[in-house]
């Protein structure tokens, strides 16, 4: 197992938090400031990706800016024993829309199958297209079963997902088992970025009971209450995207994320 895989699959920490940065929505500098605020608030990973309008150029520039910012803070912390340490240690991982939005600067990539897509492209097409780049660049792939639940948002539409309803526990159980049997390392339950409501905690709970994989939950989580509900249902990772983009002021964002993370720690 590679370093990023080991880090993401380590279930001894309790629930951890990660932000997702969409390079289509912000400049690399703003992304870097937001990533820093998240790291200071206690986030454990930065995912970079989006459903539309990302390409090699904006993804690469964003990842380079984030990594430089985190490294600088890490270096400063190593020079000053009173400083807030640890921010430089968190991985920056690709969470791509497809094979045309990759960067060799990433620490790893969630190498995913959109399990409930009706489109061959998201089941195996993009993966085959992107594999040579991932190999050549030496980016660590972490295989992931990705399942989109209602309301699904843009990810559901773009990915042509046959969405999982909030009460479809047996369906989720079967997908979770299949994800494990297929050898995936992670299982992600997605409600869609900006979703009006997050994944039903009952679906998280049945996924937890049906496989041994780390469970990632994202989409529509905007406060500590929703984060806690997912965490208590068995989520290993809570992902937030949109709330990160609502704050231009880094210290305000840090406060909001600190509150959200305190709900799951
Ligand atoms: C990324 O869906 C998450 O997978 C992010 O969702 O933007 O709603 O936090 P939000």
């Amino acid at each position: 197992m590679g370093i990023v895989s080991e880090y993401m699959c380590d279930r001894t920490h309790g629930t951890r938090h990660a932000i997702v940065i969409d390079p289509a929505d912000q400049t690399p500098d703003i992304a870097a400031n937001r990533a820093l605020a998240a790291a200071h608030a206690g986030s454990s990973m930065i995912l970079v990706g989006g459903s539309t309008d990302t390409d090699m150029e904006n993804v690469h520039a964003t990842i380079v800016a984030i990594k430089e910012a985190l490294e600088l803070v890490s270096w400063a912390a190593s020079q000053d024993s009173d400083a807030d340490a640890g921010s430089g240690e968190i991985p920056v991982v690709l969470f791509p829309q497809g094979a045309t939005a990759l960067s060799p600067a990433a620490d790893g990539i969630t190498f995913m199958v959109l399990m409930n897509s009706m489109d061959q492209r998201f089941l195996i097409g993009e993966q085959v297209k992107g594999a040579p780049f991932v190999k050549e660049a030496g980016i660590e792939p972490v295989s992931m079963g990705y399942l989109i639940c209602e309301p699904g948002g843009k990810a559901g539409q773009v990915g042509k997902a046959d969405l999982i309803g909030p009460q479809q526990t047996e369906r989720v159980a079967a997908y979770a088992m299949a994800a494990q049997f297929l050898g995936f390392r992670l299982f992600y339950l997605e409600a869609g970025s900006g979703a009006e409501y997050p994944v039903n905690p009952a679906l998280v709970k049945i996924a937890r009971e049906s496989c041994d994989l780390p469970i990632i939950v994202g989409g529509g989580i905007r406060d500590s209450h929703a984060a806690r509900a997912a965490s208590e249902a068995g989520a290993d990772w809570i992902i937030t995207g949109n709330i990160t983009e609502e704050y231009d002021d880094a210290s305000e964002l840090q406060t909001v994320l600190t509150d959200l993370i305190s709900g799951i720690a």
Side-chain angles (χ1 to χ4, degrees):
M1 234 201 278
I3 292 174
V4 177
S5 193
E6 224 168 89
Y7 181 82
M8 289 185 77
C9 296
D10 181 356
R11 297 189 49 215
T12 59
H13 291 280
T15 310
R16 286 178 285 171
H17 174 260
I19 59 163
V20 54
I21 294 272
D22 188 340
D25 291 348
Q26 55 215 298
T27 64
D29 282 355
I30 292 176
N33 283 338
R34 287 175 172 154
L36 268 185
H40 287 306
S43 290
S44 302
M45 180 170 58
I46 312 292
L47 294 175
V48 177
S51 307
T52 51
D53 302 324
T54 56
D55 54 34
M56 293 292 191
E57 209 175 308
N58 62 15
V59 166
H60 184 63
T62 300
I63 291 188
V64 168
I66 292 172
K67 285 193 68 80
E68 276 177 9
L70 293 176
E71 272 160 25
L72 217 60
V73 169
S74 171
W75 181 83
S78 73
Q79 306 296 303
D80 176 2
S81 54
D82 293 333
D84 181 8
S87 316
E89 320 246 337
I90 68 175
V92 182
V93 175
L94 282 163
F95 178 55
Q97 71 177 68
T100 54
L102 306 175
S103 160
D107 296 311
I109 176 170
T110 52
F111 204 81
M112 65 176 107
V113 167
L114 172 42
M115 296 180 81
N116 58 334
S117 176
M118 310 293 280
D119 188 340
Q120 187 266 356
R121 220 186 112 198
F122 297 102
L123 294 168
I124 192 64
E126 291 295 321
Q127 297 83 342
V128 171
K129 235 165 102 186
F133 183 95
V134 170
K135 173 102 175 161
E136 175 74 15
I139 311 166
E140 184 187 333
V142 188
S143 61
M144 181 168 89
Y146 186 55
L147 198 63
I148 306 188
C149 306
E150 289 179 10
K154 230 191 266 174
Q157 284 164 21
V158 173
K160 300 198 177 59
D162 178 14
L163 299 174
I164 306 280
Q167 309 306 329
Q168 292 186 317
T169 48
E170 280 181 31
R171 245 184 113 196
V172 169
Y175 272 112
M177 291 172 203
Q180 179 152 2
F181 298 162
L182 284 164
F184 292 126
R185 295 223 166 275
L186 305 165
F187 187 59
Y188 194 131
L189 290 170
E190 170 75 86
S193 186
E196 309 88 85
Y197 54 91
V199 173
N200 181 357
L203 300 183
V204 180
K205 185 164 181 281
I206 193 77
R208 173 73 292 132
E209 290 164 2
S210 306
C211 71
D212 301 322
L213 304 176
I215 311 282
I216 305 176
V217 181
I221 297 174
R222 320 181 55 79
D223 55 35
S224 57
H225 177 76
R228 187 189 299 262
S231 167
E232 284 176 353
D236 295 284
W237 286 94
I238 305 283
I239 313 295
T240 62
N242 264 25
I243 58 163
T244 314
E245 293 176 4
E246 278 167 22
Y247 299 91
D248 286 330
D249 181 72
S251 70
E252 211 181 332
L253 174 61
Q254 189 176 329
T255 307
V256 168
L257 290 178
T258 302
D259 176 59
L260 189 135
I261 292 166
S262 72
I264 59 174

